[in-house]
Each structure stands twice: as structure tokens, then as C-alpha cells.
Amino acid sequence: MAAARTPPGTAGIGGAKGLKGSSRGSGSGRFGGSVRAVGRALHLPVTGTVRGIRRATHAHGAGESGLGKLIELHAVNGAGDVMITVALASTVFFSVPTDEARGRVALYLAITMAPFTVLAPVIGPLLDRLPHGRRAAMAGAMLARALLALVIAGAAAGGSLQLYPAALGVLVASKAYGVVRSAVVPRLLPPRFSLVKANSRVTLGGLLATGVAAPVGAGLQALGPGWPLYGAFVIFVAGMFLSFSLPPTVDSAKGEDRALLAADEEHLHGPHRKRLKRPGLRTVGTAVTHALAANAALRCLSGFLIFFLAFLLREHPLTGEGAAVSLGIVGVAAGAGNALGTAVGAWLRSRAPEVIIVTVVAIVLGAAVVAALFFGAFLVACLAGIAGFAQALAKLSLDALIQRDVPEQVRTSAFARSETLLQMAWVLGGAIGIVLPLNGVLGLSVAAAIVATGWLTTTRGLLTSARHGGASRPRVA
């Protein structure tokens, strides 16, 4: 028993020291563990959200093909564009009385949109000549908008006229990016992926980013008029670097050719005087051209509603609501309709695209007629939502027709040309919307007339094409 005992001096002190050290180490470990737990709790929402977004954008082979990176790039593009839109709307539209705002917006259209109608037809052919520099072209469009955002911030603060040419530059760079993006998508298709599904994913990514960035931009605007533009600068710089992360296949032009329109062929000179036997948008059957005309009517309606309703609702807001809330309701309805149309397009894939276009344009026509006859707040919001739904679904159907009827050798060029024509239609609609008097019944009657023109002139050709199963693909000379 005596041998089993430890001497008091040694064992007690050693035991006490060991116990004290163990207690100190245990406390330190508990404190470190608590810090790490708090760090993980704060870090998890960010990393979890990023991982969730990455899983969604890279699903079904999109990560391996590079389509996932394009979806993320388009989301960055949408977020940056909406930041600039918030800043410009506050500077040009909301900061002054209605009559002065109308003059400012008219000046904005004259200085930015009018030159754009001249530049837009040139964008497609110029980018057509850069098949090996598409990543650089998208990065250049991002960098241009980043720098122009800083120019607009300085011009808005000092009331300088530099605001308008800078806004024109932003518009041109944005549309140039859109044309290149449309041409890039066919190069990044995963296996067993339709072009409609790919475009719907890219578009939906942009819409979701726009929905998130819009309230952020409004919050930055409350801090100061330049803050959304500084945010746009940061976003576009990130987009510039992200553009170069796309796979090298984006810059490959193997097997491609340029899609020529009849006007292009008539104005060829030199060694190309003879008519070239290359398939163009007018030589692949009536489905593509009629679908393009129907989409142009919807895009024209979109531009018209944006400008017309902006002034109409500011002067005559929805019942019981303020001007800003009224515009917000209509904007949310249009955005929700656009997102729903994109989702439905991904589900429908490429089933009977001609019938889809005819149907959605007819629905918009009916909604516009009803809204004009029984003008009211609810019907205006419904028209905005239906127009957004139809525009998204019709555009995806047009993409399906281009994929089906345009040969692969000229498909990217066809996307560039069609996108340019649609942007010009949007400009025309905006011009009509700005010059009309602020009469709801008159304005929506004009909207119905725009849609009716597009629908009546294309229905027969599209249905005939659907009955015949689409045009046969021509050979490339």
C-alpha cells in the first residue's frame, strides 16, 4: 500500500501542473473550436450558395463543354447592365418633372438610339470577321462598359453632355456582346443538348442575375448617384477576366462560313462579283425569315411598352399606387413573364417551333386588344407579363429554327445577323413609344397594331412550314 502511494511533493505538484495545463489546453481548444464554428457558420451561406449555383450551371454536361462558364458570364453581364440602367434611369428620368423627363429621354433616344440604328447593321458583319477572337471580343465589350461606367459617373455628377455619347458606347458594347454570345452558344453545346435548352439556360441565368442586381443597384443609388456605376465597373472588370476562362473552342472557326443576305450579295465587288452559292437567311426556307419577322414585332412591342408605359405610369399611376411602385409592378410582371417563358422553352425544347411562335404572338395580340378596349391597371400588368413570356418563348423558338434550317457552317453568322435585326426592331418600338401622347387606350391600340402586323404577315408561312416539317437544309457551295 505504501509503495502504491506517490510522494506528496512530486505527485501532487505534477498532478496539479498536469491538471492545470490540461484545463488551459482544453479551454484554448474550446475557444478555437468555437471560433472555427462561427467562421464556418458565416462562411457557409456564401460558399454554399456559390456551390449551389455552380452545380446548377454545370449540370448535364454544361461544365465539361464550357456552357456553364458562359452562363456565369452572361449572369455577370446582366448584373452590370442593370446597374448602369438604374443609374441612367435615375439621372435622365426620375430626377426631373415629367415634361422635362420626356424631353431628356427624347434627347437620349436621339443621341444614342439614332446612331445605334446606323451602327447596328455593322456590328454583325464586323464580328463575323473575328471568328478567332470571340473571347477577346466579349472581354473588350466588358472592358469598354467598365470604363464608360466611370465616364458616366463623372458626367452625371457634373451634368456634362458626355453622358449621352458614353451611354451610346455602353449600348453598342452591350449589343456587340449579345451578338457574340449568340454566336458562341452552338460551340459549347453539351452532348444531347438542344440549342433551345442551352439558350434558355443562358438567358435564365442572366434574368436571375438581373433580378438580384436590380435591388442592389437601387440601394447603391440611395447612397449616391455614382455608386451603381462604380458597382458596374467592378462587375464588368470581373466579366472581362471571366471571358478568357471560356474554352478555346469558342475561338475556333473550323467549318464555318458567313451567312449572306440578298443585299450583301448585290453589293459584292471585285473578285466576288459573281453571285456566291452560299446559304443565307433568305435561302434556307420561309420558316426562319417569318419567325424572325414575328420576333421583330414582339421586340418592337417590348421597346414600345418600356418607353410608353414609363411615362404613362409616371403621369397616371396604377390605382392606389405611386409612380415608382406602378413602374415596379409592371417591371416585375414583365420579368416574371420572361423568366416563365424561358423555363417553358427549356421544357418544350424544339417541338413545333413554328406553332409555338404563331400561338404566343396570337396570345399577345389578344391581350393587347383586351387591354386597349378595357384599359385598366390589372390589364396593363397582365399585358406586360404576357409580352415578356411571349418574347422569351418566341426567341427560343427562333433559335430552334435557325439550328434546324441553317447549315452548321453558317449558323453562328445567322445568329449574329438575326440578333442585330431584332435590336433594330427594339429601337424602332422605343421611338414610337416616346412620341405618342400619354393616352392609355391610344397607346395600347398602337401596341396591338404592331403585334397584328407581325402576326398577320407571318402566320401563313410559319404554319405552312410546320405542315411540311421544315425546310430541307441546303448544301454549302
Side-chain angles (χ1 to χ4, degrees):
M1 295 294 293
R5 290 178 185 159
T6 343
T10 318
I13 295 172
K17 285 182 180 177
L19 182 61
K20 188 176 180 181
S22 172
S23 174
R24 187 178 296 165
S26 174
S28 175
R30 284 196 297 269
F31 178 74
S34 300
V35 171
R36 286 192 294 271
V38 172
R40 282 195 298 269
L42 296 175
H43 195 55
L44 183 61
V46 178
T47 57
T49 302
V50 170
R51 282 197 296 266
I53 293 173
R54 181 58 61 92
R55 281 196 299 268
T57 58
H58 286 59
H60 305 108
E64 291 77 7
S65 70
L67 181 65
K69 290 187 177 296
L70 182 62
I71 295 173
E72 294 166 0
L73 176 63
H74 192 61
V76 170
N77 175 80
D81 273 346
V82 80
M83 289 283 188
I84 293 182
T85 301
V86 168
L88 286 176
S90 300
T91 302
V92 177
F93 183 73
F94 288 108
S95 61
V96 294
T98 302
D99 292 338
E100 186 179 346
R102 197 163 190 181
R104 282 195 181 190
V105 174
L107 179 63
Y108 176 85
L109 283 177
I111 296 178
T112 59
M113 297 299 185
F116 178 72
T117 59
V118 178
L119 293 174
V122 182
I123 293 176
L126 282 179
L127 295 174
D128 243 356
R129 299 177 184 275
L130 298 173
H132 300 290
R134 290 173 181 146
R135 289 184 296 181
M138 285 191 284
M142 294 284 182
L143 178 60
R145 281 179 286 174
L147 298 177
L148 289 170
L150 297 181
V151 174
I152 294 174
S160 173
L161 290 178
Q162 291 178 350
L163 170 70
Y164 296 100
L168 171 62
V170 168
L171 180 65
V172 172
S174 178
K175 302 316 175 187
Y177 162 82
V179 169
V180 179
R181 191 262 304 170
S182 296
V184 161
V185 172
R187 286 285 173 188
L188 300 178
L189 285 181
R192 298 179 299 277
F193 230 72
S194 71
L195 191 61
V196 175
K197 186 175 182 179
N199 274 286
S200 66
R201 279 202 181 187
V202 174
T203 304
L204 191 57
L207 289 174
L208 292 176
T210 298
V212 172
V216 175
L220 291 175
Q221 181 67 30
L223 297 178
W227 282 99
L229 296 163
Y230 300 142
F233 172 80
V234 174
I235 291 172
F236 283 130
V237 168
M240 178 187 67
F241 289 106
L242 189 59
S243 299
F244 289 108
S245 70
L246 294 174
T249 52
V250 168
D251 290 334
S252 173
K254 184 179 179 181
E256 292 186 6
D257 204 343
R258 288 191 299 128
L260 298 179
L261 297 178
D264 298 320
E265 295 174 355
E266 291 171 2
H267 290 86
L268 288 174
H269 300 287
H272 299 292
R273 284 196 185 98
K274 293 184 179 180
R275 189 181 184 87
L276 297 180
K277 300 298 183 182
R278 291 179 181 175
L281 293 180
R282 296 182 183 179
T283 64
V284 294
T286 59
V288 172
T289 52
H290 283 133
L292 185 57
N295 272 267
L298 292 178
R299 194 66 67 91
C300 185
L301 174 69
S302 172
F304 172 82
L305 290 179
I306 287 174
F307 288 95
F308 180 75
L309 291 180
F311 287 107
L312 179 68
L313 295 178
R314 182 173 178 174
E315 193 72 17
H316 307 288
L318 301 179
T319 305
E321 305 291 349
V325 175
S326 300
L327 289 172
I329 291 174
V330 174
V332 168
N338 206 320
L340 179 61
T342 302
V344 171
W347 175 69
L348 291 174
R349 301 193 178 183
S350 56
R351 302 171 188 172
E354 299 98 335
V355 177
I356 292 173
I357 293 174
V358 170
T359 303
V360 296
V361 177
I363 292 173
V364 174
L365 177 58
V369 170
V370 172
L373 293 177
F374 309 99
F375 180 77
F378 176 75
L379 292 177
V380 168
C382 286
L383 176 60
I386 293 172
F389 174 85
Q391 181 181 325
L393 196 51
K395 179 60 170 65
L396 293 173
S397 299
L398 172 63
D399 293 343
L401 288 171
I402 292 177
Q403 182 192 31
R404 188 192 73 189
D405 292 349
V406 177
E408 184 178 359
Q409 294 89 340
V410 294
R411 191 177 296 154
T412 54
S413 177
F415 272 110
R417 300 299 181 94
S418 64
E419 184 65 24
T420 300
L421 291 173
L422 292 178
Q423 296 301 337
M424 293 176 64
W426 186 89
V427 172
L428 176 62
I432 297 173
I434 194 65
V435 300
L436 278 184
L438 298 181
N439 183 301
V441 175
L442 173 63
L444 296 188
S445 299
V446 172
I450 292 172
V451 181
T453 302
W455 187 70
L456 294 174
T457 56
T458 59
T459 298
R460 182 177 178 182
L462 286 171
L463 294 180
T464 301
S465 175
R467 284 196 298 269
H468 293 162
S472 60
R473 293 185 177 182
R475 294 181 178 181
V476 180

